[in-house]
Amino acid sequence: MGAELDRLAPVLEPLGERFASAGHSLHLVGGPVRDALLGRHVSDLDLTTSARPEETERLLAGWADAVWDMGRAFGTIGCRKGEWTVEITTYRSETYDPTSRKPDVDFGDSLAGDLGRRDFTVNAMAVSVADRSFEDPFHGILDLAHGTLRTPGTPESSFSDDPLRMMRAARFAAQLGFAVAPEVVSAMTAMAGRIEIISAERVRDELVKLVCAPHPRRGLELLVETGLAGHVLPELPALALERDEHHRHKDVYEHTLIVLEQAIDLESRLESAPDFTVRFASLMHDVGKPRTRRFQDDGTVTFHHHDVVGAKITRKRMKALRFSTDETDAVSTLVELHLRFHGYGDGEWTDSAVRRYVRDAGDQLERLHILTRADCTTRNRRKAERLRRTYDDLEARIERLTEQEELAALRPDLDGNQIMAVLDLGPGREVGEAYRFLMELRLDEGPLGEEEATRRLLAWWADRT
């Protein structure tokens, strides 16, 4: 940890001197201390102090490049110094109304009291900015060494105070790869229903962090095991379908987790990772199966149209979790299209089919490549290799047609103004119909050129009228 503190010294030491000269203590606390002990790079600095917010704001003036007070109600003043983002929070001693989503904030008067109100022991360690003395009243360093998540007090008390901490337990398990202590799991299971008082936005934010963590499977399995998933993402435990007596279909829940892991392995194809959209689409791609499962007379199982049903379920869930329209559209599109590749058999793709695949995927095409490849979890090596080769061929076809026809900007040979000029029409419904006719031609036959497109448009118009 010493090396990381040395790296932080240019920003921490001058700040510590300002607080010390005013008679206040200042400690690096929480995640930065934990990460420094784990040998991880610390980027944002969280500190706690005996100074009240107004005093903190005064001490930052003239030192920080910018200061903000959006967290003042919770005792937090934020600032930027060069490349660093710093948040300084007054010692807190919160009390909670069991029916409320928000705490009543009372300022405390001791570091120990402040650390005792934190979520987990590994986040309840502090380092004095003045002399680098280490404070660990709840033995967080031992839990860090053993890779265990525990609460400073009883987990029941902690989760009663802030039920979102149950989601954070799953998130930290996913981020750190830690085991969650049995008593914490028991409390999460017994108190899972308490998550209902937490706002959808806060649940969403924790879920995003969990899904984007290095080990999302750990966190997701914990949510399912404790029953929390039944409240925040009920579509996930619903995938654990009862197996039919002949075991003629896969364990959809296990399949889904494998698809997620395989999608993560393919994220290098994207410009940046982790990628929430492709990960969440992997998690939701089969959520339509429970509603569409049918047993046939011969004992086989079908899930007809589970792609379309799953897209609707995904859209409804993401809306409930207050995701943006763009995020919802992207994930739902991937869920709806995840079977499209399999609808063309063993690679009998016409140019028209390739164009439509690209058109329908739009800006999600690369993610669709990842999801489709990840969705192959068969243990039959010959089948898996055949599917891989077939998809390789499809991607090659897309690349060739893209070079020839600029598929990324797929549009008819005539635009709306040209259509109106050719048909002597003003703006209206008929222009839209003509545009769609030309787009279908473009998809079926490729670029025609303006002259041929005009001839075909006039013939279509004549037949129509």
Side-chain angles (χ1 to χ4, degrees):
M1 182 167 72
E4 189 66 3
L5 290 176
D6 288 341
R7 189 179 69 85
L8 303 177
V11 66
L12 288 182
E13 289 182 356
L15 191 57
E17 290 171 2
R18 294 177 78 91
F19 277 75
S21 65
H24 293 293
S25 62
L26 186 68
H27 286 79
L28 188 68
V29 70
V33 177
R34 179 198 70 223
D35 289 345
L37 285 166
L38 289 171
R40 298 183 175 190
H41 197 74
V42 175
S43 53
D44 296 334
L45 303 178
D46 294 328
L47 298 114
T48 187
T49 182
S50 56
R52 293 297 192 259
E54 60 274 10
E55 180 72 358
T56 294
E57 195 169 23
R58 184 185 69 79
L59 290 169
L60 291 175
W63 176 81
D65 299 328
V67 178
W68 53 88
D69 67 349
M70 284 87 78
R72 180 185 293 274
F74 296 96
T76 301
I77 303 295
C79 72
R80 179 175 52 80
K81 178 67 172 177
E83 63 179 299
W84 299 98
T85 298
V86 182
E87 288 194 343
I88 304 176
T89 303
T90 301
Y91 294 156
R92 278 157 54 173
S93 176
E94 298 166 346
T95 57
Y96 289 76
D97 179 339
T99 63
S100 173
R101 296 173 177 176
K102 297 179 181 179
D104 296 321
V105 178
D106 293 325
F107 296 134
D109 54 11
S110 73
L111 175 64
D114 181 87
L115 295 178
R117 53 158 287 279
R118 294 179 179 268
D119 51 8
F120 302 104
T121 60
V122 296
N123 295 328
M125 299 178 285
V127 175
S128 170
V129 174
D131 59 11
R132 297 193 181 183
S133 59
F134 181 60
E135 303 288 342
D136 182 21
F138 302 101
H139 311 295
I141 196 167
L142 290 176
D143 287 333
L144 198 65
H146 293 136
T148 303
L149 284 175
R150 300 184 191 278
T151 53
T154 67
E156 290 80 8
S157 175
S158 180
F159 298 154
S160 179
D161 283 349
D162 185 0
L164 190 66
R165 289 173 176 171
M166 296 186 287
M167 290 286 296
R168 286 169 63 85
R171 190 248 290 186
F172 282 123
Q175 283 185 333
L176 303 173
F178 281 14
V180 180
E183 69 274 12
V184 176
V185 174
S186 295
M188 291 171 66
T189 304
M191 303 176 68
R194 286 277 293 159
I195 200 68
E196 297 285 354
I197 71 167
I198 300 297
S199 70
E201 291 83 358
R202 293 181 74 203
V203 169
R204 174 203 64 207
D205 291 347
E206 285 298 326
L207 187 61
V208 170
K209 291 174 183 176
L210 188 163
V211 170
C212 291
H215 314 283
R217 179 173 185 139
R218 282 179 179 256
L220 293 167
E221 288 179 331
L222 183 61
L223 291 182
V224 172
E225 175 190 350
T226 58
L228 274 164
H231 297 277
V232 302
L233 193 64
E235 296 78 12
L236 185 58
L239 294 174
L241 300 169
E242 286 185 26
R243 300 289 295 272
D244 64 287
E245 60 178 329
H246 301 294
H247 302 288
R248 293 180 184 268
H249 68 271
K250 295 178 182 178
D251 181 332
V252 183
Y253 172 65
E254 176 63 22
H255 163 76
T256 294
L257 295 179
I258 294 173
V259 171
L260 171 61
E261 291 174 325
Q262 293 186 164
I264 291 171
D265 290 340
L266 294 169
E267 279 184 329
S268 59
R269 296 172 59 119
L270 300 173
E271 292 183 1
S272 62
D275 186 89
F276 174 76
T277 299
V278 79
R279 292 189 182 199
F280 202 61
S282 300
L283 200 60
M284 303 293 285
H285 78 283
D286 274 349
V287 294
K289 280 191 170 180
R291 291 193 188 177
T292 58
R293 184 174 65 158
R294 300 290 183 272
F295 293 102
Q296 305 302 303
D297 292 339
D298 62 359
T300 58
V301 182
T302 63
F303 302 98
H304 293 315
H305 307 302
H306 79 265
D307 46 348
V308 176
V309 172
K312 292 179 180 178
I313 293 171
T314 297
R315 189 173 294 277
K316 183 177 180 181
R317 175 54 50 199
M318 294 186 73
K319 183 177 180 181
L321 288 170
R322 306 289 194 272
F323 279 97
S324 70
T325 299
D326 287 346
E327 289 173 307
T328 301
D329 287 345
V331 175
S332 300
T333 294
L334 291 171
V335 173
E336 185 166 359
L337 295 178
H338 83 274
L339 288 182
R340 180 71 63 86
F341 164 70
H342 299 284
Y344 289 90
D346 293 328
E348 304 110 12
W349 285 68
T350 62
D351 286 351
S352 174
V354 173
R355 295 186 193 104
R356 292 172 191 277
Y357 193 77
V358 173
R359 188 272 309 270
D360 292 347
D363 59 1
Q364 299 305 313
L365 181 61
E366 191 60 47
R367 290 188 175 105
L368 182 58
H369 291 334
I370 290 174
L371 177 58
T372 303
R373 289 179 179 276
D375 195 24
C376 175
T377 61
T378 178
R379 295 179 182 177
N380 184 321
R381 290 188 178 182
R382 291 179 63 184
K383 180 180 179 181
E385 181 59 23
R386 177 174 55 79
L387 288 170
R388 185 192 64 77
R389 285 198 310 269
T390 304
Y391 206 85
D392 286 345
D393 291 343
L394 172 60
E395 287 202 56
R397 291 277 302 284
I398 290 172
E399 187 174 350
R400 285 197 300 273
L401 276 177
T402 298
E403 290 175 357
Q404 296 167 10
E405 303 180 11
E406 298 183 9
L407 291 187
L410 200 61
R411 56 179 63 88
D413 295 274
L414 303 177
D415 63 21
N417 289 327
Q418 291 170 308
I419 291 170
M420 288 189 287
V422 168
L423 300 180
D424 193 24
L425 293 173
R429 177 177 55 81
E430 292 171 321
V431 177
E433 292 176 5
Y435 186 92
R436 286 189 290 275
F437 164 74
L438 289 175
M439 176 58 89
E440 289 299 312
L441 276 182
R442 173 71 175 82
L443 290 167
D444 286 338
E445 301 182 30
L448 299 173
E450 288 186 20
E451 183 177 344
E452 177 63 12
T454 298
R455 187 186 72 78
R456 302 280 283 273
L457 176 63
L458 287 169
W460 170 80
W461 183 252
D463 289 342
R464 185 176 178 279
T465 56

